[in-house]
Amino acid sequence: MTRENTATNRKTPSSSTGMQQLTSAWLRASGHLANSVLEANRATLAALGLSDGDQSGEVELEPSVESVAYDDSDWTETRTVDASENINPGDTVTFSKTISDEDVRAFAKVSGDTNRLHLDETFAEGTRFGGRIVHGTLVSGLISAALARLPGVTVYLSQDMRFLNPVQIGSRLTAEVEVVEALAEDRFRLSTTVTNADGEAVIEGEAVVLVDSAPDHVE
C-alpha cells in the first residue's frame, strides 16, 4: 500500500494512443457516461464530495436542487428555502453522504495528499488513531456540498473551521449550514457543522458566502 519511488519510462505516444485520446475527448464532448469517462472523472467528483454511491458506477443526472450538477442515490439533503431572494437568518441546508474507501483514495490522488495515515492501514494502526482516517479537507468538502444546495449560485468568500474529531472510513456524515446573519449585497454569514451518524460534531466553523440569483436562461 505504501507508494514506492520508481522511475517512469517516458514513451513517445503511438498513433493508437492518439486515437484513444481523441475517442475519450469525443465521449466527453457528446455527454456519454461510458465507464471509461466515469473513471477519469471519479477523482474530481470525490474531491467535491461526490461519489458513485453504488456498484454500478452510474451517477444519476436528475438532482433535486436546480443549481447542483449531479445527484447520487447515497446522498440525502434538506433545505428550508427555495428562492435566493427569500434567504433569511434561520434558514438551513443539510447534505449527507457516506465517505467510502474509494472516496478517500480518489481524493488522495486528485489532491496529492497521499499521507499514509489515510492510505496505509498498517502504518495508521501505529498512530494515535489506531487506523486509517478520512482527510480533514475531504470531510470539510461536505460543507461546500451543502452550500451548493442553497438556492441560486453560491460563492465562497471565507471559511473558518475547527477539526474536532477524526472520521473513520465508511462513516456517514451530515453537513449543516445555517444562515446566521444577512450582510450587505447578497452576502450571508453562516454557521457550518459536520456531524457523524452518532450526532457528534467532527467539524464546526463559520462561513461567509455571496448568493447570486440563478441565470435567467437556466431551465
Side-chain angles (χ1 to χ4, degrees):
M1 209 178 301
T2 303
R3 188 180 64 182
E4 298 179 355
N5 294 323
T6 58
T8 301
N9 295 324
R10 297 191 177 185
K11 298 180 180 180
T12 302
S14 63
S15 59
S16 62
T17 300
M19 182 60 69
Q20 292 172 355
Q21 292 172 342
L22 288 174
T23 301
S24 178
W26 178 82
L27 286 171
R28 288 194 299 270
S30 62
H32 288 284
L33 293 179
N35 286 337
S36 58
V37 178
L38 183 59
E39 291 296 337
N41 289 322
R42 216 171 242 169
T44 302
L45 294 177
L48 298 173
L50 312 180
S51 170
D52 57 3
D54 57 32
Q55 297 302 315
S56 66
E58 294 181 358
V59 175
E60 299 174 7
L61 296 181
E62 296 182 358
S64 58
V65 177
E66 291 182 357
S67 61
V68 179
Y70 297 97
D71 236 336
D72 187 280
S73 58
D74 173 64
W75 307 340
T76 58
E77 54 208 40
T78 66
R79 68 179 185 182
T80 61
V81 59
D82 290 321
S84 58
E85 61 270 22
N86 295 331
I87 297 175
N88 286 300
D91 282 322
T92 61
V93 177
T94 69
F95 174 78
S96 302
K97 80 179 297 285
T98 302
I99 304 295
S100 67
D101 179 67
E102 181 182 28
D103 291 332
V104 171
R105 295 187 182 282
F107 182 81
K109 183 174 182 180
V110 74
S111 68
D113 183 352
T114 54
N115 189 328
R116 294 171 67 185
L117 176 62
H118 310 301
L119 303 174
D120 187 332
E121 186 64 38
T122 301
F123 175 87
E125 285 176 353
T127 70
R128 69 173 64 202
F129 303 105
R132 294 168 57 208
I133 61 172
V134 180
H135 301 74
T137 45
L138 175 53
V139 176
S140 68
L142 272 66
I143 296 172
S144 183
L147 290 173
R149 285 156 175 80
L150 281 168
V153 180
T154 303
V155 180
Y156 246 134
L157 298 181
S158 67
Q159 173 75 64
D160 295 323
M161 67 181 71
R162 298 178 300 281
F163 295 89
L164 304 177
N165 290 289
V167 173
Q168 303 300 315
I169 295 170
S171 298
R172 186 162 187 83
L173 303 177
T174 298
E176 178 175 359
V177 299
E178 179 176 354
V179 179
V180 174
E181 181 181 6
L183 306 174
E185 299 178 1
D186 299 321
R187 287 167 168 78
F188 300 90
R189 183 167 61 87
L190 308 97
S191 64
T192 56
T193 307
V194 180
T195 56
N196 59 26
D198 295 326
E200 181 181 40
V202 297
I203 291 180
E204 289 182 346
E206 184 177 276
V208 175
V209 299
L210 168 67
V211 182
D212 288 329
S213 298
D216 293 335
H217 65 276
V218 175
E219 297 181 357

